[in-house]
Amino acid sequence: MHTLYTATGCTRCKLVMRKMEELAIPYQEHDIKADGKEIFQQFYTANRKAIYRGPEGIEFPILNDGDSIHQGLGPALAWVQAGSKLDGFFRIGRLHKEWLDGIIVSGGNPDLASDFLGLLRYLKQNSMKLELQTSGKNAEILAAIIKESLADRITMNVLGPQNLYSNIAGTAITEAEIKKSIALVAQFPERQFQTEVVPVRREDGAFTYLTPEEIGEAAALIEQASGSKQQPYYLRPFHPVFAPEPPLQGLEPMNSGMLFPYRSKARNFQVKTEIEREA
C-alpha cells in the first residue's frame, strides 16, 4: 500500500491521485491540513533528511512507497507511472501554481521516452505549464517535445566547449547531438542558454575553473549550431560549498564580479550574453 501525503486544495496532489486511480494503484491519503496532520508530523520527524523544505515550506504531494520517498508532482508521477525507470527525468522543482519545472530532458533513459512523453502529455492536458531543461543529450526526445508543443519554456545548459563537454557531463554526448539540441532550442519562442563556470579536471589531475577563452568557445558552439549571435545566453558562477567532491569544495568561491572577463569573451559570439544575478 502506498501512502500519499496531500494538502487541502492542492491541484498537484489531485493529479497524482487521479493517475494512481487510473492505473489502479492502491494508496492511503493523509491530508496534512485535516485529519492527517499528526500522522504527517510523525512521518516528517522520522524522515526529515529525505524531505525538502524550501523557502515557501514543504512541497506536496509526498508519496511513500514503503521503501523510498518521492516528493513533488514530477517525481511522484514518474514513480507512479514507471517506478525507478524514469529516474533522472524529474526532480523537485522551484516553481508553483500552474508552472512545473525540474523536468530534465537529458537526464533519463532514452529507451523510456514513451513513458516520459506520456507524462508530459498528461500534465499539459491538465493545464500545467512546463519549463524543461536539457544539456544536449536525448536530442530526439527534445525534438518530439517541440513537435507536440509539450513545453512552454526551455533552458539549455551548455556545459562548456566541445572538447570538455563529455568530461563535464560525466557521460558521453556527441557533438552532433549537442548541436542538434542547440538548434532545436534556438527555434523555441521562450528559450534560454546558460553556462555555469564550473571547475574541470585537467590532464595533470588538478581542478581549475573553465577559462574565459573556454567560455568563448562555448558561446561559439551556440553560434555555430543555431546560426545566430543573438541567442539569450547567461553565465552563472559556481559555488564550491555545494560541490559533492571534497577537492572542489576547497576551491576559491566565484562571484558575479569575477565573470566580466568571461562575458567579454562570450560576447564575441553571443552579443546578448549576460551574467546571471545572484539571489
Side-chain angles (χ1 to χ4, degrees):
M1 174 70 74
H2 292 67
T3 303
L4 188 66
Y5 297 96
T6 67
T8 303
C10 170
T11 300
R12 298 177 181 222
C13 303
K14 292 177 182 177
L15 291 181
V16 173
M17 288 190 285
R18 189 179 304 163
K19 178 59 70 172
M20 294 181 80
E21 290 161 6
E22 176 186 313
L23 297 175
I25 297 173
Y27 68 92
Q28 184 173 18
E29 180 193 3
H30 296 294
D31 186 333
I32 62 99
K33 293 186 177 180
D35 294 341
K37 182 176 181 180
E38 291 186 10
I39 294 174
F40 176 71
Q41 284 298 329
Q42 294 173 6
F43 174 76
Y44 177 69
T45 299
N47 298 278
R48 190 183 302 268
K49 292 183 179 180
I51 298 172
Y52 174 73
R53 177 187 285 272
E56 298 185 19
I58 297 173
E59 176 78 11
F60 290 93
I62 297 175
L63 177 65
N64 180 17
D65 65 12
D67 295 315
S68 52
I69 296 169
H70 313 279
Q71 183 179 5
L73 175 56
L77 272 180
W79 181 262
V80 168
Q81 180 70 31
S84 61
K85 293 180 181 179
L86 289 176
D87 283 359
F89 280 122
F90 294 93
R91 67 185 182 200
I92 189 166
R94 56 181 174 78
L95 300 179
H96 300 284
K97 296 184 179 179
E98 75 274 17
W99 279 95
L100 180 68
D101 63 338
I103 305 171
I104 318 299
V105 178
S106 52
N109 183 348
D111 294 338
L112 276 296
S114 179
D115 282 319
F116 176 55
L117 292 171
L119 283 187
L120 297 187
R121 294 186 194 105
Y122 175 74
L123 290 164
K124 291 299 293 177
Q125 288 163 4
N126 285 279
S127 303
M128 297 298 296
K129 293 183 178 180
L130 308 182
E131 180 177 285
L132 278 61
Q133 289 191 33
T134 181
S135 62
K137 198 171 183 179
N138 294 342
E140 291 298 329
I141 298 178
L142 181 61
I145 288 169
I146 293 175
K147 182 178 180 180
E148 292 190 45
S149 300
L150 296 177
D152 296 277
R153 286 200 295 247
I154 300 178
T155 295
M156 180 163 181
N157 297 308
V158 180
L159 302 180
Q162 178 60 50
N163 65 313
L164 293 173
Y165 214 95
S166 294
N167 179 5
I168 297 170
T171 186
I173 308 179
T174 67
E175 181 177 358
E177 190 162 31
I178 295 165
K179 288 184 173 180
K180 180 173 182 176
S181 291
I182 291 173
L184 287 165
V185 172
Q187 298 170 16
F188 202 77
E190 289 201 43
R191 67 189 182 277
Q192 175 178 309
F193 294 92
Q194 64 184 30
T195 299
E196 184 177 19
V197 182
V198 299
V200 293
R201 188 187 293 273
R202 304 297 179 170
E203 291 184 0
D204 61 1
F207 283 98
T208 61
Y209 286 110
L210 288 168
T211 66
E213 291 73 21
E214 288 167 338
I215 292 298
E217 291 174 30
L221 181 61
I222 298 172
E223 181 191 2
Q224 293 163 13
S226 69
S228 172
K229 289 179 175 285
Q230 300 287 331
Q231 302 299 338
Y233 184 40
Y234 292 85
L235 303 179
R236 302 169 55 198
F238 175 81
H239 298 288
V241 68
F242 300 119
E245 300 179 64
L248 301 184
Q249 295 168 5
L251 289 173
E252 178 187 358
M254 296 196 80
N255 58 59
S256 297
M258 299 169 69
L259 296 186
F260 289 111
Y262 291 84
R263 185 179 67 180
S264 297
K265 292 291 184 181
R267 282 184 172 176
N268 292 327
F269 306 97
Q270 290 302 322
V271 298
K272 293 183 178 180
T273 303
E274 297 293 347
I275 298 169
E276 185 176 276
R277 293 183 180 180
E278 296 185 77

